Amino acid sequence: MHCGVKNTGNQDIIKHGFKPAIIRLPNTPTNPVLLKLQKQRFYCKHCAQTFIAETPLVEKYCCISKAIKSQISSELVETQSMRLIAKRYHVSSPTVARTLMKASKGLSPKGNYLPNHLGVDEFKSTSRIANAMSAVLVDTHNRRLIDIIVDSKQASLIDYFASFTWAARSSVKTVSIDLYTPYLEVIRTCFPNAKIVIDRFHIVKLLNETINSHRIKVMNAIKTSRPSDYKKLKKHWKLLLKNAEDLNFTDTHYVRQFGEAISEQRIVDYLLSISYELLVTYTLMNELKYAISTHDINIFNEILHGTKNQTLPSRTRRTIRTLAKFLPYIHNALKYTVPNGPTEGINNKIKLIKRTGFGYSFALKLFTNTICERTKILHMNYNAIKMACF
């Protein structure tokens, strides 16, 4: 009621007809279930206002039962299309999105907690707005999602971490990142005691991309003049990216491009003989990969120092300059065994959500937030989701 008066024997509040309502209940195995409910209306003589009796089946001003919303929230824990969930429970996609947003409000990080070992990475949330990148924060030690920041710009990240207390930010010991320069200033500004650790996966990825880029350059240069070698370079690119010490040089198998039984080592030796620059790049990158795999900082430094007076292809030289730029943080990567695998795994989960969703039919403004909140739902406890919803 509006005025708050209590009904007494003077009939201050009287019945005032009924309001029909159709309530959607949990489905049977084959059909939806609808409840036709006559809600009692009341009239207050003090304020001349009417109001309707409430039922525990549904929330106020709602026609979808709490039980269905609970089932929808349990479906959101699985990696599947939100449109498929809506179809299964005979509701609209925006209804599923609203249930998701309501559940995620109770899952936001509370207090001023930051883990000792923090992993930061970014992912492409949408390609149709100016700021298309979002940042994901992960506790790399406990492999737990901390939060997802919709805006990954440097200023936005600094403002986000500024909301935590100085004690919380000082407790962070290491921050694992990829080879992305803007993160360096964020970490220096926000985490006074943190060691910056470049993820070893991204270092090896950079080295492999350098080999592959030069392979493609050589391959395109001989496409018309040496078509046979072109096909060999195109077919056996994976062997060039394999660590040199892992190549099999004893077992042989028939390879159609060579017309004989040949080992992996002989295939790589032949491919490297096609181009001297490819041989130089391959040898240098594998020496660096070996130093990373053995966590040998001295060998890594010696290899980089030895390239100063060496003539290298332009892409290889650019890779060396990048490694030299991040050298202090690469040293931390070889010194501290801080994995960034959980962060990459969550990024992969986000991509899976986008693939299974086939895009979202509701407003574009909601798209990025939905991706972020859906990822939180997938990595949080289901009991916490139910408590947040109901």
Side-chain angles (χ1 to χ4, degrees), residues 198-248:
I198 301 296
D199 180 30
R200 291 189 298 274
F201 166 79
H202 287 93
I203 303 173
V204 175
K205 181 182 177 183
L206 174 65
L207 300 179
N208 283 335
E209 286 178 347
T210 304
I211 297 174
N212 202 41
S213 175
H214 202 78
R215 175 193 65 87
I216 294 173
K217 181 180 178 181
V218 174
M219 188 177 68
N220 291 334
I222 64 173
K223 184 174 182 178
T224 55
S225 59
R226 301 166 64 179
S228 176
D229 290 340
Y230 168 84
K231 292 179 181 178
K232 292 173 183 176
L233 285 169
K234 185 174 183 179
K235 176 67 176 179
H236 301 286
W237 62 274
K238 289 184 179 180
L239 290 180
L240 288 175
L241 302 185
K242 193 173 181 179
N243 292 340
E245 61 272 15
D246 295 333
L247 290 172
N248 191 327

Side-chain angles (χ1 to χ4, degrees), residues 178-211:
D178 55 11
L179 297 165
Y180 185 52
T181 306
Y183 284 154
L184 300 178
E185 185 61 29
V186 173
I187 298 170
R188 295 193 194 103
T189 303
C190 300
F191 305 107
N193 301 324
K195 299 286 186 180
I196 301 175
V197 180
I198 301 296
D199 180 30
R200 291 189 298 274
F201 166 79
H202 287 93
I203 303 173
V204 175
K205 181 182 177 183
L206 174 65
L207 300 179
N208 283 335
E209 286 178 347
T210 304
I211 297 174

Side-chain angles (χ1 to χ4, degrees), residues 13 25 28 49-50 76 117 141 182 216 222 244 255 344:
I13 300 175
L25 298 177
T28 65
Q49 297 288 333
T50 62
L76 287 169
H117 305 284
H141 179 70
I216 294 173
I222 64 173
V255 179
E344 297 300 324

Side-chain angles (χ1 to χ4, degrees), residues 5 44 70 98 162 177-178 183 211 226 316 340 353 376:
V5 68
C44 179
S70 177
R98 285 192 293 269
I177 60 173
D178 55 11
Y183 284 154
I211 297 174
R226 301 166 64 179
T316 307
N340 208 31
I353 294 172
K376 292 179 185 178

Side-chain angles (χ1 to χ4, degrees), residues 57-287:
L57 291 176
V58 295
E59 298 174 352
K60 193 174 182 180
Y61 309 121
C62 188
C63 63
I64 300 175
S65 66
K66 294 180 180 179
I68 283 189
K69 291 183 178 181
S70 177
Q71 292 177 348
I72 290 174
S73 64
S74 66
E75 293 283 353
L76 287 169
V77 178
E78 304 296 332
T79 306
Q80 57 182 321
S81 168
M82 294 172 67
R83 184 175 296 177
L84 178 63
I85 298 174
K87 184 178 180 181
R88 183 177 299 134
Y89 290 96
H90 302 278
V91 296
S92 64
S93 294
T95 297
V96 179
R98 285 192 293 269
T99 304
L100 167 67
M101 293 301 178
K102 184 175 180 180
S104 65
K105 287 180 181 177
L107 300 176
S108 299
K110 298 178 181 179
N112 282 290
Y113 168 76
L114 283 172
N116 292 333
H117 305 284
L118 183 66
V120 183
D121 203 356
E122 60 181 7
F123 65 93
K124 193 170 186 179
S125 50
T126 176
S127 60
R128 300 165 74 182
I129 58 177
N131 181 31
M133 307 301 291
S134 300
V136 57
L137 309 179
V138 179
D139 183 347
T140 56
H141 179 70
N142 296 320
R143 302 175 180 273
R144 187 168 62 89
L145 176 69
I146 299 299
D147 200 3
I148 296 179
I149 308 170
V150 175
D151 189 352
S152 67
K153 290 181 179 178
Q154 187 180 92
S156 300
L157 290 175
I158 292 176
D159 290 341
Y160 171 83
F161 288 118
S163 64
F164 292 87
T165 63
W166 177 260
R169 290 185 279 120
S170 299
S171 66
V172 179
K173 297 178 181 179
T174 63
V175 181
S176 301
I177 60 173
D178 55 11
L179 297 165
Y180 185 52
T181 306
Y183 284 154
L184 300 178
E185 185 61 29
V186 173
I187 298 170
R188 295 193 194 103
T189 303
C190 300
F191 305 107
N193 301 324
K195 299 286 186 180
I196 301 175
V197 180
I198 301 296
D199 180 30
R200 291 189 298 274
F201 166 79
H202 287 93
I203 303 173
V204 175
K205 181 182 177 183
L206 174 65
L207 300 179
N208 283 335
E209 286 178 347
T210 304
I211 297 174
N212 202 41
S213 175
H214 202 78
R215 175 193 65 87
I216 294 173
K217 181 180 178 181
V218 174
M219 188 177 68
N220 291 334
I222 64 173
K223 184 174 182 178
T224 55
S225 59
R226 301 166 64 179
S228 176
D229 290 340
Y230 168 84
K231 292 179 181 178
K232 292 173 183 176
L233 285 169
K234 185 174 183 179
K235 176 67 176 179
H236 301 286
W237 62 274
K238 289 184 179 180
L239 290 180
L240 288 175
L241 302 185
K242 193 173 181 179
N243 292 340
E245 61 272 15
D246 295 333
L247 290 172
N248 191 327
F249 60 90
T250 56
D251 299 333
T252 61
H253 61 281
Y254 182 81
V255 179
R256 182 172 59 84
Q257 287 78 18
F258 289 87
E260 62 175 323
I262 190 172
S263 65
E264 292 180 347
Q265 183 65 62
R266 285 185 58 197
I267 293 174
V268 171
D269 290 341
Y270 180 85
L271 297 180
L272 296 179
S273 68
I274 297 175
S275 169
Y276 175 74
E277 291 185 345
L278 179 59
L279 173 62
V280 171
T281 300
Y282 176 86
T283 303
L284 179 59
M285 296 301 110
N286 270 277
E287 289 175 352

